[in-house]
């Protein structure tokens, strides 16, 4: 199936480079476009894709090659990009949009990992990262409403629940 083929490609790319995923791959040669960077969002979306494959293809099994690959990718991301002193993942791009995409996609991946594995460490990391974002004066516009095209301006207000 298409899901299985895409998941297999993700796992092949992971085996080629176990430290993380690049932003762009070409299916023509089944390889990375190495000049594309390696954003948090690309890594988080790869993890989420592997988790979706696990849910779709594992027939209810507690584990699968897709889930194992997702966990390995999360471990690699944690090793390479988690800054203990900041309680945050580091983004390779200085762009505010890249930071927001990365932060939101990593939070989603951590949440899904916790749900799919039942491992509370992912939920603990989720909470650490969310608190770090909150403590970093990541603030919400006063109205609490922001049009979709202004999503890059969304921030959390420190201390708000």
């Amino acid at each position: 199936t298409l899901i299985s083929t895409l998941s297999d490609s993700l796992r092949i790319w992971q085996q080629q480079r176990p430290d993380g995923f690049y932003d762009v791959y070409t299916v023509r040669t089944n390889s990375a476009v190495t000049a594309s960077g390696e954003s948090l969002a690309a890594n988080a979306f790869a993890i989420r894709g592997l988790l979706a494959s696990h849910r779709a293809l594992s027939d209810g099994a507690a584990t699968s090659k897709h889930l194992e690959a997702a966990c390995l990718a999360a471990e690699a991301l944690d090793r390479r990009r988690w800054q203990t002193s900041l309680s945050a993942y580091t983004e390779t791009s200085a762009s505010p949009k890249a930071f927001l995409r990365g932060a939101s996609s990593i939070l989603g991946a951590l949440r899904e990992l916790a749900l799919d594995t039942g491992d509370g460490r992912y939920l603990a990391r989720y909470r650490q990262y969310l608190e770090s974002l909150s403590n970093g004066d990541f603030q919400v516009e006063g109205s609490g409403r922001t049009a979709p095209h202004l999503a890059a301006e969304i921030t959390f207000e420190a201390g708000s629940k």
Side-chain angles (χ1 to χ4, degrees), residues 1 11 22 35 49 52 59 65-66 82 93 101 114 120-121 132 156:
T1 67
R11 288 185 308 100
Y22 287 106
D59 294 324
K65 60 186 178 183
H66 313 289
W82 180 257
S93 170
R101 272 192 302 270
R121 293 177 295 180
S132 168
F156 291 109

Side-chain angles (χ1 to χ4, degrees), residues 18-89:
D19 288 339
F21 293 92
Y22 287 106
D23 290 348
V24 179
Y25 289 83
T26 174
V27 292
R28 183 173 45 82
T29 61
N30 202 22
S31 62
V33 178
T34 56
S36 67
E38 44 186 314
S39 67
L40 288 176
N43 282 272
F45 286 131
I47 292 168
R48 292 179 84 175
L50 289 163
L51 291 171
S53 297
H54 165 70
R55 288 189 298 272
L57 303 172
S58 70
D59 294 324
T63 190
S64 70
K65 60 186 178 183
H66 313 289
L67 181 61
E68 291 170 10
C71 291
L72 287 173
E75 290 169 16
L77 187 64
D78 224 47
R79 269 194 318 274
R80 293 186 68 233
R81 306 293 282 283
W82 180 257
Q83 292 293 317
T84 305
S85 61
L86 301 173
S87 291
Y89 289 97

Side-chain angles (χ1 to χ4, degrees), residues 68-135:
E68 291 170 10
C71 291
L72 287 173
E75 290 169 16
L77 187 64
D78 224 47
R79 269 194 318 274
R80 293 186 68 233
R81 306 293 282 283
W82 180 257
Q83 292 293 317
T84 305
S85 61
L86 301 173
S87 291
Y89 289 97
T90 56
E91 179 59 79
T92 55
S93 170
S95 162
K97 287 182 181 180
F99 170 76
L100 290 171
R101 272 192 302 270
S104 59
S105 56
I106 287 293
L107 288 170
L110 289 169
R111 178 190 166 276
E112 288 184 32
L113 278 162
L115 291 171
D116 287 355
T117 64
D119 189 338
R121 293 177 295 180
Y122 296 115
L123 199 52
R125 180 65 86 209
Y126 175 96
R127 182 175 177 170
Q128 282 179 309
Y129 190 38
L130 192 58
E131 286 175 352
S132 168
L133 293 170
S134 178
N135 293 337

